[in-house]
Amino acid sequence: MKGHQKKIIVNTGFDIEILKLVIKRNWYWCALIFALFGTSAFLYLRYTKPIYESRTLIQINSENQGADVLDFKDVRQEGSIAKEIELLRSQVLFEKAIANLPLQVSHFAKGDLLTERRYKQGSFEVKALLLKDSSLCDIPIYLSTENEQLVIDFRHNSKKHQFKASPNTVISTALFDIKISIFDWEQFKKEATLNQLYFQFNNLRTVAEQLSGGLSVVPIDQRARTVEVSYRSHSASLSQDIVTSVSKSFFKYDENLKKESADNILDFISLQLDSLTNELAASKDSVMRFKRRENVANPDYLSTSIANKLEQLREEEKSILEGLRVLNVVKDKLKGDPNSLEVYRLIPDIIGQSYEGSLNTQIKELYEVIEQKEDLSYKVTPDNANIKKLEQRIQIRKANINEILTSLFERSEEKLRLIQKEIRDVEEQYFQLPEKQMELSRLTNIQELNEKYFTLLTEKKVIYSISNAGYASNNKVLNKPSLSAQPVFPVKSAVYGATIFLSFSLSIGLLLLRYLTFNQINQVSDLQGLIPDNVGILGAIPRRKVKMVNSTLVVSDYPKSVISEAFRNLRTNLSFVKKDVQTIAVTSTISGEGKTFLVLNLAGIIAMSGKKVLVIDLDMRKPKIHLGFNHENNIGMSSLLASHCEVDEVVRGTNLDGLAYISAGPIPPNPSELLLGKRFDEVVKTLKEMYDVIIFDNPPVGLVSDGVQLLSKVDVPIYLFRANYSKRYFSDKLKEIAEINEIKNINVVLNAVETHKSTYGKNYGGYYTD
C-alpha cells in the first residue's frame, strides 16, 4: 500500500485489552525463550568442566637477633615484599614446585564430548619407573582389557605398539618401564567400556608452562607482609597440591638464597684470618727469639720523644695501609659481577676511613641499581631492554667508583710516601742507638701491625657470624591450602539465576516491544480516535469462531446467532444514515479484511426483511463472491461491461429468496477501464430498476483506485476494518477518501471483533448461540 507500508505507530498509553491480546499472541515466544535459555544453561553446566580453586595465606618475614644485638643493619631485612612476590610468581619457582608433584604421568578418560584429565582419582594409576625415549612424551598410550589382562596400545614414530600385561606388575619395554596399579579391576573394566582411558608421559617443563596460567599471587597487607597464593584448575586436589608445593618451595628457596651471600663473606674472612694467624705467630716468635738470643732489654729506655714520634708516624702509616687494603678489597670486588648483598657488605669496611664520605654514597647507589636489576630479573629475561639499561647504569656506577678509587689510591700512596720518608728521617736518629735495640723495635712494629690486622678481621668475622647465626626465616602459613568441594566456575546458582533473569528480561522486553508497536485496530473505541469527524461508525461484526475457507452466507443458516443480530443492527443503522437506501458499496484498505463476508451477509439480512437484493462483485482482480455460493466464475461483470452478454445472462439466484448476485467474471486485462466506463453506469441504472437494494463488493482502495469513484455514486459507502488485522495507519486512506466532497454518508464497520468486546457480545452473548 503506497505511502503507508513503512509507517509505525507507538502506543504511549496503557490498554489492558491490548496487553492481554499481546500476551495471548506471544506467550509461546516467552515460553520458548525460557525453554531455550534453560536448555542452554543445562547443557552449559553439563558439558563445561568445573574449575576448582585452592587458597593459602602466607606471611613473609625473617628476623636477625644477632644484628639487633650488635646494632647492625641486615641487608636481608626489607620493608617491601615485592621481591618475594615476584619470586612466587616466577616460572623458576613454579617449575621447582611442579617437580615435587606426581605429574610425570598424566591420566585421561576420553568421553563422547569431553576429555577428563584425572589427578589422584580413578580406578588406576601409572608410575613411570624409567622413560628410555624422551620422544614418547605427550603421546597418548591407551589402556583396555582383554581376558582379565591389560592391553597397552599406542603409536610412536609411525609404528603401532601393543603390549599385554597383568595388572599391578612392572611392565618393561624397549621404550619405558612402568607399573600400572589397578585399585578396582571391575570398576576399571567398567570405566574402560564407558570411556577411552589413556595416559601420557610429561615433560615437566612443558607441564609447568601449561599449568602456570592458573597461579595467582596477590599481596594482602604490605605492613603485615601477608600474601595470598591461589590456584585454579579442573581438579580440586591438583589445585591444593600446587598451592602447597609452591609455598614450600618458596620457603626453602628464599631461605637458601638469603644465606648464601653471608656464607661467602664468612668464608673469605676465614681464609684471610688463617693466613694472618701464621704471620702473626711468626712475628711474635721472631721478637721472642731475638730477645733471647741478643739479650736486649725493654726498649722503654729509648728517648721518649723519638719513640713517641716514631710511634705516631707508624700509626699514620698503618692507617694509610689499612685504607689501601680496603681500597684493594673494594676494587677486587668490583672487578667481577657482585650481587647486591656483596656490594652492601662493602659499606661496613669503609666506615671510619678518611674517604668514607666520597665513596660511601657511590657504593650505596651501586647497591640500589644492582638490587633493581635483581628484582627485575625475576619478572623478565636477561635480554629485556630494562635489564640492559640497568646493566649500563651499573657499569657507569662502577666506572665512577673506579675513578674515585684511582684518585684515592694516588693520594693515599703519596701520603704514604711522605710518611715513610719522615719515618726514615726519624729512624736515622736511631743510628746512634745500639743496633740490637733498633732491630728489636722493627720486629716489635711488625708484630703490632699483624696484631692490628688480626684484631680487625676477627671483629668482622664475629659481626658476620653473629648476624648469620641470628638470622632465621620466619615465613608462616597462616591459612592451610583449602580443598574446594564446590567449583568456583561455573556456579550453578549464578548460571540459573542469570538464565531466569535473562529469560524474564527478554520476555518482558518482547512483550513490551510488541505492546509499544501494536499497530492493529482492536475494538470500536480504537476507530473513534482514528476516523475523521464526518465519518460515522455503522457497527461491529463479531468474530466467527468456526474458520471458513471462503466467505459464506451465515445469517440464513444461523438466524439467532450473535453475528446475525449484529447484521440486523447494521441494517437498522443504515436506515438512520439514509432512508430507503438502494445502493451500497463495501470497500477496505487491503484484501483479507472480510468485505466479501460483510457483503454476502448484509445482503442476506436485508433480503430476509423482504426486499430484493443484488450483490455485485467488482473485485475483478481477486473475485470471491461466486465462491460463497459454490458457483463458477465463467461469466460475470467483466463479461457484461465488455458487452459480451446481457444482464439477464449474468444474474444468478441463490437459495435465499430475494437474493441474487453477479460474479466478477473472467479476470480482464483492464478492470479499471471497465469500472470507469459509461457502460458501467448504464448497467447500474438498469439494475436499479430491477432490485430494491444493490450491494457492490468493491476492490480494496488501499491497493488499487478502481473503486474510489464508485463510492461517490452510491447512497452509503461502507469502509471495512478487521479487528486484530487492520493496521491503524489504514485510517489514513479513509481520511483521504473522506476529504473528497463527492463522497458522502461514508461509514465504517469493524469486522471480526472478539465477542466479549462487542456490544452485542456484552448484552446478548448469553442469549444468542452460534
Side-chain angles (χ1 to χ4, degrees):
M1 187 176 67
K2 296 181 180 179
H4 302 289
Q5 292 180 351
K6 296 182 179 180
K7 187 172 181 180
I8 297 177
I9 297 177
V10 178
N11 293 314
T12 57
F14 178 74
D15 191 325
I16 189 64
E17 298 297 334
I18 294 178
L19 179 61
K20 291 179 180 179
L21 183 62
V22 168
I23 294 175
K24 181 179 179 181
R25 290 185 178 182
N26 298 278
W27 69 267
Y28 57 89
W29 285 110
C30 299
L32 182 61
I33 289 173
F34 273 90
L36 180 62
F37 275 87
T39 303
S40 300
F42 173 77
L43 294 176
Y44 176 76
L45 292 173
R46 173 65 179 81
Y47 295 105
T48 299
K49 290 184 179 181
I51 296 178
Y52 299 89
E53 183 179 45
S54 180
R55 298 171 178 267
T56 185
L57 186 66
I58 64 175
Q59 185 178 49
I60 300 173
N61 198 5
S62 61
E63 58 182 9
N64 195 334
Q65 297 177 356
D68 294 339
V69 170
L70 297 173
D71 195 20
F72 174 71
K73 181 181 179 182
D74 192 350
V75 176
R76 293 168 295 200
Q77 297 288 341
E78 299 176 1
S80 174
I81 56 174
K83 292 175 64 175
E84 286 78 3
I85 291 176
E86 293 307 320
L87 178 59
L88 280 166
R89 292 173 177 169
S90 68
Q91 188 70 19
V92 174
L93 184 68
F94 192 75
E95 290 178 2
K96 291 180 180 293
I98 292 299
N100 296 326
L101 299 178
L103 292 174
Q104 292 78 13
V105 177
S106 294
H107 308 77
F108 299 90
K110 184 178 181 181
D112 295 333
L113 297 177
L114 297 176
T115 298
E116 179 185 6
R117 184 169 187 166
R118 295 178 171 179
Y119 177 80
K120 291 185 178 180
Q121 61 183 13
S123 59
F124 74 99
E125 180 184 19
V126 179
K127 291 184 179 180
L129 304 178
L130 178 62
L131 181 60
K132 302 174 184 179
D133 189 345
S134 61
S135 64
L136 198 62
C137 289
D138 301 327
I139 293 179
I141 302 175
Y142 297 94
L143 298 176
S144 58
T145 61
E146 181 179 336
N147 298 328
E148 303 301 317
Q149 280 193 318
L150 279 172
V151 178
I152 303 172
D153 186 13
F154 63 95
R155 298 189 66 87
H156 180 239
N157 294 332
S158 303
K159 183 180 179 181
K160 184 175 182 180
H161 300 266
Q162 189 176 74
F163 308 99
K164 293 183 179 180
S166 300
N168 302 314
T169 60
V170 175
I171 302 172
S172 180
T173 69
L175 298 173
F176 54 76
D177 291 343
I178 61 174
K179 181 179 180 181
I180 302 179
S181 300
I182 307 297
F183 308 125
D184 188 335
W185 179 252
E186 295 300 325
Q187 180 66 21
F188 176 78
K189 289 196 297 183
K190 183 178 179 181
E191 289 183 0
T193 303
L194 298 176
N195 301 290
Q196 195 172 20
L197 303 178
Y198 67 93
F199 68 92
Q200 65 183 31
F201 296 102
N202 294 325
N203 184 315
L204 289 181
R205 175 164 292 185
T206 303
V207 172
E209 292 176 355
Q210 294 172 349
L211 298 179
S212 61
L215 181 67
S216 176
V217 180
V218 180
I220 302 300
D221 191 335
Q222 288 281 354
R223 292 177 298 176
R225 300 175 65 83
T226 53
V227 178
E228 182 185 69
V229 181
S230 62
Y231 189 83
R232 290 188 174 189
S233 74
H234 298 298
S235 171
S237 298
L238 179 61
S239 298
Q240 183 186 38
D241 287 353
I242 287 181
V243 170
T244 302
S245 183
V246 167
S247 301
K248 290 182 178 179
S249 299
F250 166 73
F251 292 160
K252 183 177 180 181
Y253 187 80
D254 182 60
E255 184 176 357
N256 293 338
L257 184 66
K258 290 181 176 180
K259 279 190 173 183
E260 182 179 357
S261 180
D263 291 339
N264 292 336
I265 294 175
L266 285 174
D267 291 341
F268 173 78
I269 294 177
S270 297
L271 182 63
Q272 296 297 319
L273 282 175
D274 291 341
S275 176
L276 193 57
T277 298
N278 296 329
E279 294 182 7
L280 180 59
S283 63
K284 288 182 177 181
D285 291 342
S286 299
V287 172
M288 187 64 64
R289 286 194 301 269
F290 182 82
K291 285 183 177 182
R292 291 177 180 178
R293 183 178 66 251
E294 301 298 337
N295 195 21
V296 176
N298 194 310
D300 292 339
Y301 68 92
L302 296 176
S303 174
T304 302
S305 59
I306 296 177
N308 291 339
K309 179 66 173 179
L310 187 59
E311 181 66 19
Q312 181 181 359
L313 293 175
R314 293 295 186 186
E315 288 296 329
E316 292 180 10
E317 182 184 29
K318 291 177 184 178
S319 176
I320 295 172
L321 290 174
E322 173 60 17
L324 288 172
R325 187 192 68 81
V326 172
L327 292 177
N328 282 319
V329 171
V330 173
K331 187 174 182 180
D332 291 339
K333 288 289 184 180
L334 296 181
K335 285 182 180 180
D337 188 17
N339 55 36
S340 59
L341 188 58
E342 291 175 341
V343 173
Y344 191 87
R345 292 297 189 185
L346 295 175
I347 296 176
D349 291 332
I350 64 174
I351 293 176
Q353 301 295 332
S354 59
Y355 45 79
E356 176 185 354
S358 59
L359 194 57
N360 191 26
T361 302
Q362 296 294 328
I363 291 178
K364 286 183 178 178
E365 291 177 354
L366 176 61
Y367 161 74
E368 292 174 354
V369 177
I370 293 176
E371 186 182 45
Q372 292 177 15
K373 175 188 172 184
E374 290 175 350
D375 290 344
L376 189 59
S377 64
Y378 290 116
K379 304 177 184 178
V380 297
T381 62
D383 296 329
N384 185 272
N386 292 328
I387 291 290
K388 297 296 184 181
K389 290 180 180 180
L390 291 174
E391 289 178 348
Q392 186 176 6
R393 291 176 58 188
I394 289 172
Q395 295 303 322
I396 293 174
R397 296 295 182 192
K398 290 170 67 175
N400 291 340
I401 293 174
N402 285 329
E403 291 179 1
I404 295 174
L405 289 176
T406 302
S407 177
L408 292 175
F409 269 117
E410 292 175 355
R411 286 188 296 177
S412 297
E413 289 174 353
E414 179 63 24
K415 187 175 181 180
L416 180 62
R417 285 194 296 270
L418 295 175
I419 293 296
Q420 290 176 343
K421 181 178 181 300
E422 190 174 356
I423 289 174
R424 287 194 297 270
D425 294 337
V426 174
E427 287 177 343
E428 289 179 358
Q429 300 177 21
Y430 278 89
F431 292 157
Q432 299 175 1
L433 299 175
E435 182 179 351
K436 294 179 181 181
Q437 292 180 348
M438 293 180 60
E439 180 64 17
L440 178 60
S441 179
R442 184 183 67 81
L443 294 175
T444 302
N445 290 337
I446 294 175
Q447 177 185 340
E448 292 175 352
L449 182 61
N450 289 333
E451 287 177 347
K452 182 176 181 178
Y453 289 157
F454 184 83
T455 301
L456 179 63
L457 290 177
T458 301
E459 290 176 354
K460 296 292 185 182
K461 182 177 181 179
V462 170
I463 289 174
Y464 282 106
S465 296
I466 295 175
S467 175
N468 200 37
Y471 172 80
S473 177
N474 200 22
N475 296 327
K476 299 176 183 177
V477 176
L478 302 182
N479 291 335
K480 292 184 178 180
S482 57
L483 180 62
S484 177
Q486 297 295 330
V488 295
F489 180 86
V491 181
K492 287 186 178 181
S493 59
V495 172
Y496 282 124
T499 299
I500 294 174
F501 174 77
L502 290 176
S503 301
F504 185 78
S505 299
L506 287 177
S507 299
I508 295 298
L510 174 64
L511 295 177
L512 180 61
L513 179 64
R514 293 296 177 88
Y515 179 85
L516 293 176
T517 59
F518 187 84
N519 199 22
Q520 297 174 356
I521 296 172
N522 191 33
Q523 48 191 327
V524 175
S525 59
D526 294 339
L527 286 174
Q528 293 175 347
L530 296 173
I531 62 177
D533 295 336
N534 60 341
V535 176
I537 298 178
L538 197 61
I541 307 299
R543 183 177 67 85
R544 192 162 188 257
K545 297 180 180 180
V546 180
K547 292 186 178 180
M548 300 178 294
V549 179
N550 299 306
S551 298
T552 59
L553 191 62
V554 175
V555 294
S556 60
D557 297 333
Y558 305 97
K560 294 184 178 182
S561 66
V562 176
I563 292 179
S564 298
E565 186 61 25
F567 277 103
R568 291 189 187 95
N569 186 53
L570 290 182
R571 182 182 64 189
T572 303
N573 291 341
L574 280 172
S575 64
F576 288 104
V577 175
K578 185 175 182 180
K579 192 174 183 180
D580 299 327
V581 175
Q582 188 176 13
T583 55
I584 301 171
V586 179
T587 187
S588 63
T589 308
I590 60 174
S591 178
E593 293 181 281
K595 63 183 176 59
T596 301
F597 178 76
L598 175 63
V599 168
L600 290 176
N601 287 277
L602 181 59
I605 206 69
I606 294 174
M608 290 171 65
S609 67
K611 294 184 178 182
K612 292 181 65 177
V613 181
L614 176 68
V615 174
I616 300 177
D617 191 353
L618 296 182
D619 194 352
M620 297 182 184
R621 294 177 176 83
K622 197 174 181 180
K624 292 182 179 178
I625 290 294
H626 65 283
L627 299 175
F629 296 107
N630 294 323
H631 287 167
E632 296 181 353
N633 190 31
N634 52 4
I635 189 172
M637 257 331 256
S638 62
S639 307
L640 182 61
L641 295 178
S643 301
H644 294 161
C645 59
E646 297 301 328
V647 172
D648 55 353
E649 297 180 49
V650 296
V651 176
R652 295 179 180 178
T654 66
N655 296 330
L656 184 62
D657 292 340
L659 178 63
Y661 78 95
I662 300 176
S663 64
I667 298 175
N670 57 343
S672 297
E673 287 77 2
L674 293 178
L675 294 177
L676 299 177
K678 293 181 179 180
R679 173 67 174 165
F680 177 77
D681 294 335
E682 294 173 356
V683 169
V684 172
K685 184 177 181 181
T686 301
L687 293 174
K688 284 183 178 181
E689 297 175 356
M690 300 171 59
Y691 294 92
D692 298 327
V693 178
I694 301 175
I695 301 178
F696 297 98
D697 186 359
N698 254 23
V701 295
L703 301 177
V704 295
S705 59
D706 302 348
V708 175
Q709 186 172 355
L710 178 62
L711 297 179
S712 63
K713 298 178 181 181
V714 299
D715 296 333
V716 178
I718 296 177
Y719 201 99
L720 182 66
F721 295 94
R722 182 173 180 176
N724 302 322
Y725 182 82
S726 300
K727 308 300 180 183
R728 297 188 181 189
Y729 59 79
F730 287 2
S731 61
D732 294 346
K733 190 64 180 180
L734 175 61
K735 292 178 182 178
E736 294 178 9
I737 295 173
E739 291 175 357
I740 302 175
N741 295 328
E742 291 83 358
I743 300 177
K744 300 179 180 180
N745 297 327
I746 187 167
N747 286 266
V748 299
V749 174
L750 183 60
N751 184 30
V753 180
E754 294 291 338
T755 304
H756 67 280
K757 296 178 185 176
S758 66
T759 303
Y760 285 95
K762 293 178 181 177
N763 298 331
Y764 307 105
Y767 177 76
Y768 291 100
T769 57
D770 193 13

